[in-house]
Amino acid sequence: MKKKMSGNNELLQDGRKLSAWGLFWRFPIVWMIAGAIGIILIDTLFRQLTEQAEGIASLISTLVMGCLAILVYKLTLTYLARRSTPEISIHRAGMETVLGVLTGSIFIIGSALIIMALGGYSFQWASSADTSSILIFSITPALSAAIVEELIFRGLMLQAIDKIGGKTLALAVTSLFFGVAHLGNTGATLWSAFAIVLEAGVLLGAAFLWRRNLWFAMGLHFAWNAVEGLLGIPVSGHPSAGLFTVKVHGPALLTGGDFGLEGSIIPIVISLLISIPMLIGTARNRRAEKEMNVHG
């Protein structure tokens, strides 16, 4: 439904004022919290079902959960925030997801190879591993985390704070909260939380702002976790039964220690090298839009 502004009053297309209750739900923090609660409830319910399922059934359960979570997100923004959702449009969804997966895969594989070259990791093929089981075990939680966390942190939180204080504040706050959210993980420290703020919070936020859709951010996030799991590296403190056996050598600043790759200085540096061009691209897009509006 289209809206227009008249003075300080919110008006609907037919000229009726929004009720006080309607204005309450349109406040960014309110619809952010409402949407997040709905998505978390769905994730919690299906996580229990997924844990009881085996093999391909767990993956199917995760896909169903993801579809319902996206539906809750769309309903929240459509009927509470009263705005469209181009960030989850199916137009170019496949292409953006693939680009995100490629970006995340190159980022993680490149980081692991650099650490290996510096003597921090050594990989040996786990010949006794059940490849199909490991694939499902790595893909399922990675898919769940990518959908749920991107909908909440980049879809709801970043856009809600952007409405209140602008994109810079939104990127800073969501990155900080994303780091804090990982403090409860195994092996987490203040350093690992700070690392998550820089390498994940900033990178994923920049990816969303640059591409202006959640599919790219979801693809990047998914590949990040899935590739780590397949390599046998702990994913933010969660142990992985990967296709390789990983031996860790050297200081935690290089290897990430028990927390895994995210605790290493290497991915922090690489992620910033990726994030900065994305943020520059975001700024250019905004300038181009302003020029179009002026000339239009």
Side-chain angles (χ1 to χ4, degrees):
M1 182 180 293
K2 294 182 180 178
K3 304 112 187 155
K4 60 182 179 179
M5 294 294 294
S6 176
N8 294 324
N9 295 323
E10 295 271 1
L11 300 182
L12 300 179
Q13 189 177 22
D14 59 7
R16 293 182 294 109
K17 290 183 181 179
L18 278 173
S19 65
W21 189 241
L23 289 172
F24 169 77
W25 285 111
R26 285 198 68 183
F27 186 66
I29 299 301
V30 174
W31 55 254
M32 178 193 80
I33 293 174
I37 290 174
I39 292 169
I40 290 171
L41 287 175
I42 288 175
D43 178 47
T44 301
L45 172 62
F46 274 85
R47 186 170 297 183
Q48 296 175 354
L49 296 175
T50 301
E51 290 175 352
Q52 297 174 3
E54 295 182 359
I56 196 69
S58 64
L59 180 58
I60 293 173
S61 176
T62 300
L63 288 171
V64 173
M65 180 280 296
C67 291
L68 290 176
I70 292 172
L71 177 61
V72 168
Y73 174 85
K74 183 171 181 62
L75 292 174
T76 298
L77 293 190
T78 300
Y79 294 103
L80 296 186
R82 293 181 181 270
R83 55 162 290 248
S84 59
T85 54
E87 65 274 14
I88 55 169
S89 169
I90 60 173
H91 178 62
R92 288 182 59 81
M95 178 62 70
E96 292 293 335
T97 302
V98 170
L99 287 174
V101 169
L102 288 174
T103 303
S105 298
I106 292 171
F107 168 52
I108 294 302
I109 293 173
S111 297
L113 288 175
I114 292 174
I115 295 173
M116 183 175 69
L118 294 174
Y121 290 161
S122 60
F123 295 92
Q124 184 175 6
W125 180 260
S127 56
S128 61
D130 184 342
T131 303
S132 60
S133 296
I134 290 175
L135 283 172
I136 293 175
F137 183 79
S138 299
I139 289 173
T140 300
L143 185 62
S144 174
I147 295 173
V148 171
E149 293 178 12
E150 292 313 305
L151 288 175
I152 292 176
F153 284 95
R154 261 58 66 176
L156 293 170
M157 185 181 289
L158 191 148
Q159 294 193 96
I161 298 174
D162 180 21
K163 284 281 187 182
I164 298 171
K167 289 179 172 55
T168 301
L169 178 64
L171 180 60
V173 172
T174 53
S175 298
L176 179 62
F177 271 86
F178 200 62
V180 171
H182 288 77
L183 270 174
N185 293 10
T186 303
T189 63
L190 289 177
W191 162 255
S192 67
F194 176 69
I196 289 288
V197 169
L198 292 179
E199 68 195 4
V202 173
L203 177 58
L204 292 167
F208 172 67
L209 292 173
W210 176 49
R211 302 304 296 178
R212 288 179 285 190
N213 71 77
L214 284 168
W215 303 115
F216 181 79
M218 287 180 184
L220 196 163
H221 195 153
F222 164 74
W224 181 326
N225 287 7
V227 172
E228 266 191 321
L230 291 172
L231 290 175
I233 303 171
V235 182
S236 300
H238 299 292
S240 303
L243 298 173
F244 298 88
T245 300
V246 184
K247 292 185 178 180
V248 178
H249 317 277
L253 186 63
L254 172 64
T255 66
D258 294 336
F259 193 72
L261 187 70
E262 289 90 346
S264 168
I265 190 69
I266 301 300
I268 293 178
V269 174
I270 296 177
S271 69
L272 290 176
L273 292 175
I274 299 173
S275 299
I276 291 172
M278 287 182 177
L279 293 173
I280 293 173
T282 300
R284 287 177 177 171
N285 291 337
R286 291 172 65 187
R287 285 197 298 269
E289 287 177 355
K290 288 180 180 178
E291 291 176 2
M292 288 179 62
N293 291 334
V294 170
H295 295 301

